[in-house]
Amino acid sequence: MNSFRNYVHSLKNDIPASIVVFLVALPLCLGIALGSQAPSLFSGLIAGIVGGVVIGVASGSQLSVSGPAAGLTTIVAAAIMKLPTYEAFLLAVVICGVFQIVLGYLKAGIIGNYIPVSVIKGMLAAIGLILILKQFPHLVGYDKDYEGDEAFFQVDDNNTFSEIFKALNYLTPLAVLIGVVSLLIQIIWDKIALKQGGIFKIIPAPLLVVFVGAGINYYFEKQGSSFAIDPEHMVNIPIAKSTEEFFSFFTFPDFNMWKNFDVWITAGTLAVVASLESLLSLEAIDKLDPYKRISPTNRELKAQGLGNLVSGLIGGLPVTSVIVRSSANVSSGAKTKVSAIVHGVLLLLSVAFIPNILNLIPKSALAGILIYTGYKLAKPTLFVTYFKKGWNQFLPFVLTIAAILLTDLLKGVVFGLAVGFFFVLRSNFKTAILFVKDENNYLIRLRKDVSFLNKPIIKEYLSNLPDNSKLLIDASKAEFIDKDIVEVIEDFMIEAPTKDISVALKPNSQLQDSFGLPLLEVETGGYAKLDKKTWNQQVNN
């Protein structure tokens, strides 16, 4: 009952947010269907509807929004070309859903917990920069690249940066005007209007952007002006002339293709990639959640599986949790999953009843919305914050951004993880061993876990000890010592008398078991006569 009250109480935030997400999702659903080379753009809308309604209800996340994902376009396009029919591909989507449900029950969602925060933040900032860079051509009326493309290298032989320079040669004046006005409206709305309260908090700025953008173009069309935007630069939703034609947009899988090996390979590939993208997105959105709620990852895998199963059954593309829509949801002030569900309902109602009206929306207006969303994800202050945290945090952050910008989301994150784990290992490597010198007296303290990776530095310390020196090896605080390290210490203790080096060892239980306690009960009284404050502090700690 309390949950129901929370949902009702949050409607004043969730309904406006759902409208924003709907406006963002609409062109992306169509664009990703186009980029996936699906036989009908309606397949992208089906995936968006299922992602909103089905996954929205089943998911445990309050702010994540699902739908067709840019990260799957290459896989989907290749599968559609390879499989005999689109219906065979739909069967692969259904099987993918079943695989994901099984992964959920196997508790595979724990994978998301091993992603460093610096990599997650880098991923969000990279998505923000991608939105700004990729949407700029659409903002100025150059729409050769499909909406939602996130890859660096594009199918038209351009890349993210060359596409921008090329777009400058094909400016559409009215699109530029609408795009600039769209950005100004959102900036003024956030900086001035929202502070006034009242109706300004109820009406989402992106909705005003759409109305103004459509109104400007409609005015020029009615004037018969040559500046009016061509239909190719407008939203283009398939229009059904009758109820029968509307339902004909839905396609069903061919279950007779279950013996086709390629169907199963496609299903497995989709399940792995879609699950990873969903877990990454979920982890990222939890970081953006102002209430710091933690979404259940295994339940999310089951919800995503159910979504793909339903989407495949009725002709839709595969779905994942999507960062772009989810971040737009967060930045628009959503509080609960009602926003995601309502956005799915709005997609269904709009394509069924008002496609003609939606086709009046200029793409440049929607590009303005996405660019402003991207700015919120990649604010300059975020880079300053991570720079102040030190290189161990800053480098994984910026290298993740660079890798995602120059490849794609999954490859970039994998590279970011590798960098992040390198710094984790480096940090552990540096802090596992303490070396202190006081004249001719030396201390080597083993701390935390000492692995075989620390073997070279220990051997270096021991081999460089001068003759007639005194050494204390303090292993009392080490929780784990690799057998290779034990062997190095054992060899040195045998060699030390030949160099007149006195060795004392404060063992942990592991070393006691390895050498035998009597061997290690070396007289340490000789160190007590050292009247050195620093030395005594180190030995006694």
Side-chain angles (χ1 to χ4, degrees):
M1 181 62 69
N2 287 335
S3 296
F4 178 75
R5 287 175 182 170
N6 289 337
Y7 289 138
V8 173
H9 181 72
S10 299
L11 284 177
K12 64 180 182 294
N13 300 97
D14 291 333
I15 296 300
S18 69
I19 296 172
V20 176
V21 179
F22 158 69
L23 294 171
V24 168
L26 182 63
L28 294 180
C29 289
L30 296 168
I32 290 168
L34 181 63
S36 300
Q37 299 182 26
S40 170
L41 297 185
F42 200 76
S43 60
L45 294 170
I46 292 172
I49 294 166
V50 171
V53 178
V54 177
I55 297 179
V57 171
S59 174
S61 173
Q62 296 299 319
L63 296 177
S64 175
V65 182
S66 297
L72 297 179
T73 51
T74 304
I75 298 172
V76 171
I80 290 175
M81 293 290 291
K82 186 176 184 179
L83 294 173
T85 62
Y86 183 67
E87 288 75 12
F89 171 74
L90 292 179
L91 178 60
V93 178
V94 171
I95 297 172
C96 159
V98 175
F99 284 163
Q100 286 184 293
I101 293 172
V102 172
L103 287 173
Y105 280 106
L106 292 176
K107 302 188 184 302
I110 194 173
I111 295 171
N113 297 330
Y114 291 96
I115 304 170
V117 175
S118 58
V119 174
I120 291 294
K121 291 290 187 179
M123 179 177 67
L124 286 169
I127 291 295
L129 292 174
I130 285 173
L131 284 175
I132 294 170
L133 296 172
K134 290 286 190 180
Q135 289 298 319
F136 178 80
H138 298 294
L139 188 82
V140 299
Y142 185 70
D143 299 300
K144 295 298 181 183
D145 189 28
Y146 67 87
E147 289 276 357
D149 183 22
E150 293 176 1
F152 181 70
F153 294 106
Q154 301 171 178
V155 293
D156 60 357
D157 295 327
N158 284 308
N159 59 52
T160 301
F161 299 109
S162 66
E163 186 84 359
I164 292 175
F165 291 110
K166 192 171 183 179
L168 295 174
N169 297 320
Y170 296 91
L171 298 178
T172 302
L174 190 58
V176 174
L177 174 64
I178 291 173
V180 171
V181 169
S182 300
L183 290 172
L184 289 175
I185 288 174
Q186 293 174 95
I187 294 170
I188 294 171
W189 206 262
D190 276 358
K191 302 297 182 182
I192 301 174
L194 285 180
K195 296 178 181 179
Q196 307 302 315
I199 193 171
F200 295 110
K201 284 193 173 183
I202 300 174
I203 300 175
L207 182 61
L208 183 61
V209 165
V210 167
F211 275 114
V212 171
I216 292 174
N217 187 61
Y218 183 76
Y219 171 79
F220 278 88
E221 277 188 345
K222 286 300 180 181
Q223 297 298 316
S225 172
S226 60
F227 285 103
I229 298 176
D230 293 334
E232 65 183 276
H233 302 306
M234 310 288 284
V235 170
N236 184 20
I237 297 176
I239 299 175
K241 297 178 181 178
S242 64
T243 304
E244 291 77 13
E245 186 177 356
F246 176 76
F247 283 107
S248 72
F249 291 153
F250 295 88
T251 312
F252 306 103
D254 183 1
F255 288 98
N256 293 322
M257 297 299 298
W258 71 271
K259 294 181 181 179
N260 189 313
F261 183 68
D262 289 333
V263 168
W264 291 90
I265 293 295
T266 300
T269 304
L270 288 173
V272 171
V273 178
S275 298
L276 287 174
E277 285 217 16
S278 292
L279 292 174
L280 287 170
S281 178
L282 196 69
E283 193 74 15
I285 297 308
D286 281 352
K287 292 287 182 289
L288 292 178
D289 186 356
Y291 302 100
K292 302 304 176 187
R293 291 165 290 192
I294 299 175
S295 303
T297 53
N298 295 316
R299 178 176 170 180
E300 186 66 21
L301 287 179
K302 297 173 190 175
Q304 294 293 331
L306 177 63
N308 275 313
L309 194 154
V310 173
S311 186
L313 285 174
I314 59 177
L317 295 175
V319 294
T320 74
S321 175
V322 188
I323 296 177
V324 175
R325 270 157 270 195
S326 301
S327 57
N329 195 34
V330 175
S331 64
S332 301
K335 289 188 175 181
T336 73
K337 63 164 69 180
V338 170
S339 175
I341 298 170
V342 172
H343 119 274
V345 174
L346 290 175
L347 279 174
L348 175 60
L349 295 177
S350 61
V351 299
F353 299 110
I354 56 169
N356 287 316
I357 295 176
L358 294 176
N359 287 344
L360 297 175
I361 302 174
K363 289 183 180 179
S364 57
L366 297 175
I369 296 171
L370 288 168
I371 287 175
Y372 196 66
T373 299
Y375 168 75
K376 289 182 178 179
L377 288 174
K379 287 184 176 180
T381 52
L382 181 63
F383 291 81
V384 174
T385 299
Y386 266 85
F387 181 76
K388 290 180 178 179
K389 289 184 176 183
W391 293 108
N392 283 3
Q393 293 291 312
F394 184 67
L395 278 180
F397 172 72
V398 295
L399 290 177
T400 298
I401 293 173
I404 292 175
L405 286 177
L406 298 176
T407 55
D408 57 38
L409 181 64
L410 278 182
K411 290 177 184 175
V413 168
V414 169
F415 181 79
L417 285 174
V419 174
F421 288 140
F422 168 78
F423 277 99
V424 169
L425 289 174
R426 180 174 176 270
S427 176
N428 289 338
F429 180 81
K430 291 180 67 176
T431 59
I433 300 173
L434 173 71
F435 181 73
V436 177
K437 176 185 177 183
D438 179 28
E439 294 182 355
N440 204 38
N441 305 296
Y442 297 85
L443 167 68
I444 294 178
R445 173 165 289 147
L446 309 182
R447 302 183 293 188
K448 300 190 301 183
D449 297 335
V450 187
S451 72
F452 70 94
L453 295 173
N454 301 106
K455 181 178 176 181
I457 194 169
I458 290 182
K459 291 185 71 173
E460 181 182 355
Y461 286 151
L462 294 176
S463 63
N464 290 333
L465 289 176
D467 294 354
N468 303 309
S469 58
K470 293 182 175 64
L471 169 68
L472 172 62
I473 301 175
D474 181 4
S476 59
K477 291 182 171 63
E479 296 179 6
F480 167 78
I481 303 176
D482 193 280
K483 294 295 184 183
D484 283 5
I485 305 299
V486 173
E487 185 176 330
V488 169
I489 295 173
E490 183 179 27
D491 290 344
F492 179 77
M493 292 184 69
I494 295 172
E495 179 193 4
T498 65
K499 300 173 68 175
D500 293 323
I501 297 176
S502 301
V503 182
L505 178 60
K506 293 174 67 175
N508 69 348
S509 58
Q510 184 180 350
L511 285 180
Q512 288 175 358
D513 295 339
S514 299
F515 292 118
L517 186 58
L519 175 65
L520 302 179
E521 287 180 340
V522 182
E523 283 284 338
T524 58
Y527 293 97
K529 67 182 181 182
L530 297 172
D531 190 19
K532 298 289 186 180
K533 182 179 180 182
T534 302
W535 179 261
N536 286 332
Q537 286 178 339
Q538 293 294 343
V539 171
N540 294 326
N541 280 342

